[in-house]
Amino acid sequence: MEEADTEPPLVVVPGADPASRQLCFEWGPAEVLVCETRFGRGGGGDAAPGSSRVFVVRRDQDIYIQTLRKLFNESHGVFIGLQRCEEELAGKSRKAHLVQVSKNYRSVIRACMEDMHRAAAATRDPALHSQYSTQVSILSAMELIWNLCEILFVEAAAAGPLLLRLLDWIRLHVCDVDSMVREVLSSENPSKHKLFWNVVDVFVLQGRMDEARHLLSKEASANPTSMSMYKVLDDLMMKMPLGNTQTLTELELKWQHWHEECQRYLRDGTFASNPHMESICKILAGDENAMLEKKELLTTWYHFLVTRLLYSHPTVKPMELHFYAQSSMDLFLGEESSPEPLDTILMAAFEFELHQVIKECSIALSNWWFVAHLTDLLDHCKLLQSHNLYFGSNMREFLLLEYASGLFSHHSLWQLGVDYFDHCREYGRVYLELHIERIPLNTEQKALKVLRICEQRHMHEQVRSICKIMAMKALRNNRLGSALSWSIRAKDAAFATLISDRFLKDYCERGCFSDLDLIDNLGPSMLLSDRLTFLGKYREFHRLYGEKRFSEAAKLLLMLMTAHIAPCSFWMTLLTDALPLLEQKEVIFSAEQTYELMQCLEDLTAGKPDKKEGEPQLLRLMCDDDVETTKVEMLRLALARNLARVIVKEGTLEGS
Amino acid sequence: MIKRRGHKIREGSQGSPQPITGPHPPTTAQGRGGHFGTTAARSTSVPAPPMAAPAPPSRSSPVSLRARRPPAANGGRRGRRRERARGGAAMEEVSARFVAQKISKARWRPLPAAALQPPDVFATGSWDNEDNRLSVWAVGELGSGEYLGEPQLLCDIGHDGDVMDMQFLDQERIVVASSTGSVTVFRHHQNNQTLSVNQRWEKAHYHVDQDTSCGGAACTGVICNNPEIVTVGEDGRINLFRADQKDAVRTIDNADSSTLHAVTFLRTTEILTVNSIGQLKIWDFRQQRNEPSQIFSLTGERVPLHCVDRHPNQQHIVATGGQDGMLSIWDIRQGTMPVSLLSAHEAEMWEVHFHPSNPDHLFTCSEDGSLWHWDTSTDVSEKPSFLHHGGRSTTYLSHSTINQSVVCAWLNNDPTKDRMEITNLIPNQTLSVNSLDVLGPCLVYGTDAEAIYVNRQLFA
């Protein structure tokens, strides 16, 4: 085992008091059950009496945030899309596709963030407001990290375009300047606004040259005396080489010239009369101190990093990034503040330490959503292959399993979890099997949905267990028809037998069948269990009898006994059912059939005495026996009379 | 937990990150741009994310055509099925909204008799949530004439138990069936946009327990014909209520030994029910006997039926959807078996609806996450091209036109007059589409992916 990297956080369970009672706990897939025991602290004696309580401690708490459900659901679609397209694409189009997927994930985060922001603005409850604001800042941090990972890992931008991507990254995420810009531009005289130079500086720091020039031209027209100075600065800014089109060496050469030009103007003191313009020129020339003076406007060290790269190392290679990143952070934060988790994560990304990024994110964020999806995407970029964990299968699968388990512990989001398990090759199925059985089934419709999930994945064991649960529920509710339907669906012979027995018992008690619409329509499913076959056939006998098709009915009745389809306990009832047939005016049972009936009766009575054991039972049987013996005697009589008639009849028939 | 230093999300009112002209960040240009803009921009550019994101190649693989003939000799019919490529502009007509609750039912509010405009208000119910809700939504222009892309929530109210079924009784009242067995009439107050309970029948459906007295049983279906309300449930019971009466007008206990899944009116006094052993039953409330006046069933297979709808003009034509995704068309005037069995979805068909004013069109949705549009009104002019060659087609044309007007397309058994066109409206969905409703040119549907979708130009 590796050492834990950070101290595990302390979770206080509100209401639980380990001082007075000892607590015990039990791990669940995504929850821990903590309960109070009867043992007190000191001496092991019983604590004060009173009811003990059970606490459910949830791990992935973000799952329960209502506003994040949109994130989970929408990203589920992106995730599925990514897994589906995996096989088909290769080479260049594959990379473009992965970048597109990454952007889709980010826009899902953005959309969620905007919703949250709107909700925060709309609410009046200060507690709720701060909760929303926290969520917004977390989501915003997630998007920031994701975006950087997209540039560095998914897109893997090369020197040149890399800087452009980083600039876009900064422009997208450092956006509080926008309100400042709006304020300045909407004022009557922008160039006189107190924030005017701040705005120009921000544009320059972010490399937004056209916008900076646009603003400067306003100032120039208002201030004709320093026209020439503006002209020079404007020219410098216009000429700044930045490029997609030219080759790296070309760019480097052009940039060198431009850089020297900036330096020259500085040396010549062209802008000496205007401190604002001079500082801009210093920034253009790559003067780090001039940049650091604008710390307020830069707001973060990574903004400083990108600005610094823009004006001193525009052709930075991906592998050199970490060097500049580290020094930028040191320069920017100085001595006084230590890096926060976000800083460490970004730094790990700049160092191309993928696993470190994932690890830090797992520690810092209170959900698995982010790491699970990011890791999956990076895995699709084939960046994580080398890494195997000493437990589970690999990191991607481990994180997806954690996330999906969290979803399954949610009362409503469990349906999303299924697809995540599907895409975990090694353990996904086992997880799914264990989780799916534990979903509470409060309606048949929900049961059908769960069943469909199991049936699609050929999880026969689970199908049987769910059907059994539903059949049991129906049975408890006295819905025999439903119960039988469920056990037929599960192909559960034992349970079908049990329910058939209930039907037969009900028949014996009431003398008529319930749920005829079901029993009459059993069809081939009748063959599921012997008892069910008997039930179906016995009902058929009743129908034939009702339709006065006596000989067919008699044949069927006899067959039920001789083929041993009927349970022995039911033979007496069957023989009693034969009575009216025996007593019909016309002869129904042939001599041979009568002999067989007699045989059955003898078998039944001969078997009887074995069962008589124990005093109380004997007593009960004694009074039962009165009825029973009368029945047997009546039967014997009827059989004998029938035999007599049939011998006469058959004799006559043969004789004639 | 981490927080970002020094960053704020942009103010909601501001759309683009660039207030003055300048290069847009690439994400805005290349990504699903809508998300980065305002709400309106989002829903107009790509309204159904993420399933509607630019089509990945995998989508083009056609779903195989399966059409099974019925076991009876009635002669099946093969549906011609195509998946319309619905990328780009075609998607614009669909607007979507994630609502953070799984949607079990979606219903348009009926239009007043003289109304000409398309429907603009619908209600949804949720299921499997800790607190389920009944919500009323608006789409389209609202007063100011501003086009609203996403459906906007007008009001909602908590609902005890899953919403199992839902019907508008009239313009204002909604009847909701609950998994707790109760049936509730909610009133939607349109002047101040609130919902309130108008009437409730507690434990309209219940089990008679072995040990305890009774427990509620899910009410699975409800149908209204103002003022009459009929409900069916897992307890196999049929209840007839009247909106203004406290007690049930008529109750048929043990009407069915298995679960009743859905109900619809056949005529004013007759109803149709479908159950979990594949039977379609007609009940006549004029008869005092508590038995169905007629039973239809799929032979042998006992495949549960989940939904039923009746042709709006020709009342003898009934469509049902089964557990295996099969669409069955029945002619209740003759036989006890379906006229045609059309193999359709891969999993349970949750709902089937004839278009109320254009019944040549039928819509079905399923657990497999698809929603199909069945169209039997294919242009006659297009038809002869593959049936006949050359100039002789004119005689056939007139014949078939007459024929079509007399015999309903749904009962057309002649395989040569194969004129059904089927379109899957959601090509790339994964989770179940639980409910749909059509009215005029508008379609609304809700899914287990916690989203509602509105298509306002069905026949465009």
Side-chain angles (χ1 to χ4, degrees), chain A residues 506-532:
Chain A
D506 280 7
Y507 168 74
C508 290
E509 283 167 7
R510 277 189 262 152
C512 65
F513 279 107
S514 56
D515 302 329
L516 282 180
D517 52 347
L518 177 71
I519 301 170
D520 282 347
N521 285 291
L522 281 174
S525 53
M526 192 194 281
L527 301 172
L528 178 62
S529 91
D530 289 350
R531 199 60 49 84
L532 192 58

Side-chain angles (χ1 to χ4, degrees), chain A residues 231-249:
Chain A
K231 271 262 158 56
V232 175
L233 189 61
D234 191 61
D235 197 40
L236 267 185
M237 286 164 86
M238 191 182 67
K239 281 196 295 192
M240 177 174 170
L242 249 187
N244 282 317
T245 48
Q246 64 259 58
T247 62
L248 212 56
T249 32

Side-chain angles (χ1 to χ4, degrees), chain A residues 371-392:
Chain A
V371 276
H373 286 89
L374 182 63
T375 311
D376 175 60
L377 180 65
L378 295 177
D379 189 70
H380 281 279
C381 302
K382 312 222 181 295
L383 292 169
L384 288 167
Q385 251 101 20
S386 62
H387 196 75
N388 274 313
L389 298 175
Y390 54 88
F391 54 89

Side-chain angles (χ1 to χ4, degrees), chain B residues 40-62:
Chain B
R42 180 182 177 209
S43 42
T44 45
S45 56
V46 187
M51 305 80 180
S58 69
R59 183 191 294 185
S60 60
S61 66

Side-chain angles (χ1 to χ4, degrees), chain A residues 186-198:
Chain A
S186 59
S187 69
E188 254 171 48
N189 192 348
S191 58
K192 291 286 175 291
H193 198 279
K194 61 181 189 313
L195 291 175
F196 175 80
W197 284 106
N198 280 358

Side-chain angles (χ1 to χ4, degrees), chain A residues 69 73 103 106 117 140 168 182 302 364 412 414-415 444 446 449 452 479 489 515 517 521, chain B residues 1 4 7 9 14 26-27 30 102 128 234-235 257 259 279 281 323 348 428 434 448 450:
Chain A
R69 280 173 72 158
N73 276 292
K103 281 181 179 152
R106 280 201 294 126
H117 190 66
S140 147
D168 290 334
R182 219 179 22 246
Y302 41 90
S412 183
W414 55 272
Q415 270 174 304
E444 288 194 7
K446 189 169 176 184
K449 281 178 183 271
R452 175 60 61 181
R479 299 278 304 151
R489 178 151 186 195
D515 302 329
D517 52 347
N521 285 291
Chain B
M1 189 184 283
R4 288 189 51 200
H7 296 295
I9 179 166
Q14 187 194 343
T27 34
Q30 299 158 16
K102 291 196 278 193
D128 204 24
E234 280 183 14
D235 55 355
S257 57
T259 298
Q279 293 170 326
K281 297 182 183 177
Q323 179 145 294
E348 285 87 351
N428 224 5
N434 291 325
D448 272 346
E450 305 189 344

Side-chain angles (χ1 to χ4, degrees), chain B residues 155-445:
Chain B
C155 50
D156 64 350
I157 190 170
H159 180 260
D160 195 21
D162 296 348
V163 172
M164 300 292 289
D165 201 3
M166 185 163 71
Q167 285 286 319
F168 272 90
L169 186 65
D170 51 26
Q171 287 273 55
E172 293 193 321
R173 285 178 294 174
I174 311 165
V175 187
V176 181
S178 162
S179 61
T180 60
S182 63
V183 178
T184 316
V185 182
F186 290 95
R187 185 181 284 276
H188 175 210
H189 305 275
Q190 291 172 41
N191 40 7
N192 58 355
Q193 293 303 350
T194 51
L195 279 165
S196 65
V197 176
N198 184 241
Q199 177 149 19
R200 173 172 290 159
W201 294 281
E202 296 282 355
K203 294 252 171 75
H205 292 270
Y206 58 93
H207 289 303
V208 183
D209 212 84
Q210 251 173 0
D211 339 295
T212 59
S213 55
C214 66
C219 175
T220 51
V222 58
I223 188 78
C224 308
N225 186 9
N226 199 4
E228 285 175 336
I229 301 164
V230 178
T231 66
V232 296
E234 280 183 14
D235 55 355
R237 193 169 272 118
I238 300 175
N239 285 314
L240 172 65
F241 297 106
R242 224 176 270 278
D244 44 8
Q245 287 180 23
K246 253 186 103 52
D247 295 311
V249 178
R250 173 96 183 263
T251 297
I252 307 179
D253 288 326
N254 253 324
D256 203 308
S257 57
S258 47
T259 298
L260 287 168
H261 280 147
V263 59
T264 191
F265 270 104
L266 181 62
R267 297 181 193 90
T268 40
T269 57
E270 284 174 288
I271 57 161
L272 286 164
T273 62
V274 288
N275 69 9
S276 67
I277 53 169
Q279 293 170 326
L280 174 71
K281 297 182 183 177
I282 301 179
W283 304 81
D284 190 341
F285 284 123
R286 287 169 302 191
Q287 292 179 7
Q288 283 312 306
R289 280 189 323 138
N290 286 342
E291 271 171 30
S293 52
Q294 228 174 328
I295 301 181
F296 303 85
S297 65
L298 299 165
T299 41
E301 294 178 38
R302 298 170 32 96
V303 179
L305 295 174
H306 286 295
C307 49
V308 56
D309 196 26
R310 189 210 62 194
H311 194 288
N313 308 332
Q314 290 166 292
Q315 302 183 328
H316 55 278
I317 301 169
V318 171
T320 61
Q323 179 145 294
D324 51 359
M326 187 102 68
L327 174 70
S328 321
I329 307 286
W330 312 68
D331 182 349
I332 55 164
R333 295 172 306 187
Q334 44 184 291
T336 57
M337 278 177 288
V339 177
S340 47
L341 284 174
L342 298 153
S343 200
H345 301 280
E346 308 270 313
E348 285 87 351
M349 185 189 289
W350 291 129
E351 281 193 18
V352 54
H353 288 281
F354 284 101
H355 191 284
S357 54
N358 202 349
D360 285 343
H361 296 263
L362 181 100
F363 297 84
T364 60
C365 65
S366 156
E367 175 73 19
D368 67 5
S370 56
L371 193 159
W372 287 14
H373 175 183
W374 307 66
D375 180 3
T376 54
S377 68
T378 320
D379 240 356
V380 178
S381 57
E382 177 193 313
K383 209 62 195 171
S385 58
F386 70 91
L387 286 171
H388 286 260
H389 315 281
R392 278 192 54 209
S393 61
T394 37
T395 44
Y396 170 75
L397 203 95
S398 58
H399 173 71
S400 88
T401 322
I402 295 161
N403 215 19
Q404 196 184 21
S405 60
V406 177
V407 179
C408 172
W410 295 107
L411 294 182
N412 188 352
N413 276 325
D414 191 342
T416 58
K417 289 180 200 138
D418 167 26
R419 58 182 68 218
M420 195 175 305
E421 192 159 298
I422 306 162
T423 315
N424 183 4
L425 299 182
I426 320 170
N428 224 5
Q429 174 108 23
T430 54
L431 290 183
S432 169
V433 182
N434 291 325
S435 180
L436 74 95
D437 198 18
V438 274
L439 188 58
C442 299
L443 164 75
V444 60
Y445 59 96

